Amino acid sequence: MRLRLLILIGLFVGIVGILFFTVYRLKWSSKEQEQFLLTYAMKLSSSAFLHNTEIPSQYTCDGRDVNPPLTIEGVPADAQSLVLIVDDPDAPRGDWVHWLVWNINPSTSRIEEDSVPAGAAEGTTDFGRTGWGGPCPPSGVHRYQFKLYALDTTLSLVPSAKKRDVERAMEGHVLVQATLVGLYARK
């Protein structure tokens, strides 16, 4: 009897919580609702690996060291450009930038293997040069974050721009973000 009462109280509290959350969501402005929906609409994926799985060695320092193919879906209609930042948050010195690309045309649906989208600009990575620098962790498994941002503007940056310059220029202009994470450990 006591267990049934506790279960009923738990169900009641759960239902009240769901109703409260639903009513609270209805109080969001239409812009907030749109942002919430767009956050889950834009997607970045790769035919070479799935989210949170191993990046094939051909895209690393142990292989051809070329960028993997990427597929972009659900870019907001009002986006003026896309930015792609690939970094390794597990690097010994902290966040290590492997690729930095901005002013990608928002109609771009695919970035081919070993290519840069037409008209896009590449910045300086932590390898000290522009272009893709593949995963090459000194030890253990590292995460490689492919972060795609849809912006309401294009960026005016010099080719030697670094991640901090791009992030500063993006402030206040990000419409939505999508992330793909790949893993790699040297054999």
Side-chain angles (χ1 to χ4, degrees):
M1 181 70 173
R2 193 172 243 178
L3 180 61
R4 286 186 185 164
L5 182 61
L6 288 173
I7 291 172
L8 286 174
I9 291 172
L11 286 172
F12 177 76
V13 169
I15 290 170
V16 168
I18 290 170
L19 289 174
F20 177 77
F21 178 75
T22 302
V23 169
Y24 179 75
R25 277 194 44 209
L26 292 176
K27 291 183 179 180
W28 285 358
S29 70
S30 60
K31 181 72 174 170
E32 289 171 321
Q33 290 176 18
E34 180 183 356
Q35 181 64 33
F36 177 81
L37 293 172
L38 286 174
T39 299
Y40 294 97
M42 191 167 83
K43 293 191 186 323
L44 179 64
S45 61
S46 177
S47 58
F49 64 95
L50 299 175
H51 182 67
N52 279 327
T53 64
E54 185 176 355
I55 297 171
S57 63
Q58 72 192 59
Y59 305 110
T60 73
C61 67
D62 294 320
R64 292 180 41 225
D65 201 13
V66 297
N67 67 278
L70 299 170
T71 301
I72 301 167
E73 299 174 279
V75 174
D78 55 345
Q80 297 298 306
S81 70
L82 302 174
V83 171
L84 178 64
I85 298 174
V86 180
D87 58 21
D88 171 5
D90 303 317
R93 293 186 353 192
D95 198 35
W96 185 270
V97 179
H98 288 262
W99 203 19
L100 191 56
V101 188
W102 65 87
N103 289 345
I104 301 168
N105 188 314
S107 66
T108 301
S109 61
R110 188 155 169 81
I111 299 174
E112 298 297 334
E113 178 181 290
D114 194 20
S115 72
V116 178
E122 292 182 288
T124 303
T125 68
D126 286 331
F127 293 101
R129 56 180 167 76
T130 60
W132 170 261
C136 198
S139 64
V141 176
H142 284 219
R143 293 169 294 151
Y144 296 89
Q145 302 174 126
F146 292 72
K147 297 179 288 191
L148 181 70
Y149 302 88
L151 307 182
D152 65 2
T153 189
T154 56
L155 303 180
S156 296
L157 295 166
V158 296
S160 60
K162 295 187 177 199
K163 180 182 173 186
R164 68 179 170 272
D165 304 314
V166 174
E167 289 177 333
R168 201 169 316 143
M170 289 186 343
E171 283 180 16
H173 296 288
V174 177
L175 298 172
V176 65
Q177 175 185 348
T179 303
L180 170 66
V181 176
L183 309 173
Y184 191 69
R186 298 188 76 187
K187 308 287 188 244

